Amino acid sequence: MNRKDEHVSLARAFHQKPKENDFDAIRLLHSSIVTIRPEEVDLSTKVLGLKLSVPFYINAMTGGSEKTKKINHDLAIIARETDLMMATGSVSAALKDPSVADSYTVVRKANPHGLILGNMGAGRTSEDAKKIVELLQADGLQIHLNVPQELVMPEGDRDFHEWPQNIQQTIQALNVPVIVKEVGFGMTRETLQQLHSLGAQAIDVSGRGGTSFSQIENARRKKRELTYLDDWGQSTVVSLLEAQSVNDLTLLASGGIRGAYDIFKALCLGAKAVGISATILDQLMSDGIESTIAMIEDWKIQLQRLYLMTNKATTAELSQNPIILSGAPKEWCQARGIDYKQLATRK
């Protein structure tokens, strides 16, 4: 089986719903008085100049085969009909084998006027990045970081020393926004600061809690001996908490997003926009395009309701919402010296 097809099959096999994660450890304060009108609620947000009509998007998933071409086509239709930004999966496969390029270009063909992000690994060069942006007529580029996945992957990379240089050169070389993202292992403030020093202005912390690529790649190993790495990394919530002390960054969040309430909580923790992969893919594969569009439109309604309930008119204002932490995220803050009490009293 094609490796890209294996990834999709395994991601669906391991996808659990509902699945508890650290978003359940966040509580918001109820306000009995609401002074804004429903028509004043504005769900839009900006990511490095890219204007999103809503604060969530379809995150990088797939491409590189006939099966994934169909998935990308359907995702692009969903993105078009719901006005969502969409990222493709890693386009590296098309650079290696131009015959599969249409499994990525189908996204732009199906959604000619939408916001589309290309995607490549940090092992790729700035010249590769330019080719990807040109191929997709992309509005931006994601550079993904996936050390554990590569190390568990039987045919994965083992040497990552050129990644910082590649990231820095790509950011400098491109004339479109660049987002540096994890692939589900989360980030610490030290990593965020290091990426910022390389020129990164937008970072998707993409934490543990959703699809586990160490679990997926271990399932492809003959002995499956690396199950202890299934839960490696920091959760999305913990990663956003780590980012509280890092300034001058546009934060994005993904990993373990189950619906509108998780999107809302991530926004309250400082994310400007939230990427969703597995929940959308599972809905598409199970129930089709129309059902997935309906789910996304329902999320928009739920978000409007949540903005109103916390008396916030804009996405930017959500980071003022007081939040109470419990369980593992609170313990993490205590161990790492993160002022979680300040989050509970902000106004």
Side-chain angles (χ1 to χ4, degrees):
M1 183 187 290
N2 179 289
R3 180 164 66 89
K4 300 295 185 179
D5 293 344
E6 275 192 284
H7 282 174
V8 171
S9 297
L10 289 167
R12 289 207 68 212
F14 291 135
H15 182 65
Q16 302 172 32
K17 57 177 189 179
K19 180 182 179 182
E20 290 185 5
N21 64 32
D22 278 353
F23 281 105
D24 299 320
I26 297 174
R27 293 194 66 85
L28 289 130
L29 275 63
H30 170 61
S31 175
S32 298
I33 302 295
V34 171
T35 56
I36 60 170
R37 298 183 178 94
E39 61 269 21
E40 293 176 315
V41 173
D42 179 5
L43 298 181
S44 69
T45 189
K46 281 188 177 180
V47 177
L48 299 187
L50 299 176
K51 177 76 178 290
L52 282 64
S53 61
V54 292
F56 62 95
Y57 58 97
I58 300 173
N59 216 353
M61 278 188 254
T62 195
S65 70
E66 276 302 312
K67 179 179 177 180
T68 59
K69 177 183 176 181
K70 175 66 166 62
I71 293 172
N72 271 341
H73 170 270
D74 291 351
L75 290 171
I77 296 296
I78 292 164
R80 184 188 72 199
E81 295 304 308
T82 57
D83 194 24
L84 292 190
M85 182 169 75
M86 174 182 168
T88 72
S90 175
V91 190
S92 297
L95 298 181
K96 296 175 184 175
D97 180 6
S99 71
V100 301
D102 63 349
S103 67
Y104 301 98
T105 57
V106 67
V107 173
R108 178 55 79 191
K109 188 174 180 180
N111 189 10
H113 306 296
L115 285 178
I116 293 172
L117 305 178
N119 180 296
M120 72 175 196
R124 290 279 170 180
T125 66
S126 59
E127 290 304 312
D128 292 332
K130 290 177 183 177
K131 292 175 184 175
I132 290 169
V133 170
E134 183 179 0
L135 179 70
L136 300 180
Q137 302 168 50
D139 301 285
L141 180 78
Q142 293 179 332
I143 302 176
H144 70 255
L145 309 174
N146 64 334
V147 170
Q149 179 187 6
E150 293 288 349
L151 291 174
V152 178
M153 190 190 307
E155 67 276 50
D157 293 334
R158 301 292 183 263
D159 185 349
F160 315 104
H161 79 279
E162 292 184 343
W163 283 16
Q165 178 181 327
N166 290 344
I167 291 168
Q168 187 172 47
Q169 291 178 348
T170 298
I171 292 170
Q172 292 171 350
L174 291 191
N175 57 5
V176 297
V178 176
I179 298 165
V180 182
K181 74 178 296 289
E182 250 294 346
V183 299
F185 302 106
M187 291 191 181
T188 62
R189 56 182 176 240
E190 291 85 0
T191 297
L192 290 163
Q193 288 163 349
Q194 183 181 8
L195 289 170
H196 189 231
S197 73
L198 295 173
Q201 294 179 289
I203 298 176
D204 178 355
V205 297
S206 191
R208 178 177 57 78
T211 303
S212 168
F213 277 100
S214 54
Q215 183 183 33
I216 285 172
E217 297 299 351
N218 186 56
R220 297 179 60 243
R221 298 178 70 91
K222 290 182 179 179
K223 296 182 180 179
R224 301 185 179 183
E225 72 275 28
L226 301 178
T227 53
Y228 66 92
L229 294 175
D230 285 359
D231 292 324
W232 180 265
Q234 291 80 243
S235 72
T236 304
V237 169
V238 162
S239 299
L240 288 170
L241 290 166
E242 285 278 331
Q244 298 297 310
S245 62
V246 184
N247 299 317
D248 302 320
L249 278 177
T250 296
L251 289 174
L252 298 96
S254 60
I257 306 297
R258 299 161 297 186
Y261 201 19
D262 290 344
I263 294 170
F264 185 75
K265 289 177 178 179
L267 297 170
C268 292
L269 277 172
K272 296 296 183 186
V274 179
I276 302 102
S277 299
T279 302
I280 290 176
L281 178 64
D282 187 68
Q283 185 72 20
L284 170 62
M285 301 289 279
S286 298
D287 298 309
I289 292 175
E290 293 304 320
S291 175
T292 309
I293 290 171
M295 178 183 74
I296 289 168
E297 293 300 333
D298 183 58
W299 286 354
K300 294 178 186 179
I301 294 168
Q302 291 185 49
L303 283 172
Q304 289 177 319
R305 190 176 293 138
L306 288 163
Y307 280 46
L308 271 172
M309 285 174 65
T310 53
N311 205 34
K312 299 294 184 288
T314 68
T315 302
E317 293 174 29
L318 297 184
S319 61
Q320 302 165 10
N321 273 334
I323 56 175
I324 308 294
L325 295 177
S326 62
K330 178 181 176 182
E331 292 169 4
W332 183 282
C333 288
Q334 291 170 332
R336 292 279 286 170
I338 299 169
D339 189 359
Y340 65 93
K341 292 182 179 179
Q342 179 271 330
L343 296 174
T345 56
R346 62 188 181 180
K347 297 180 181 178

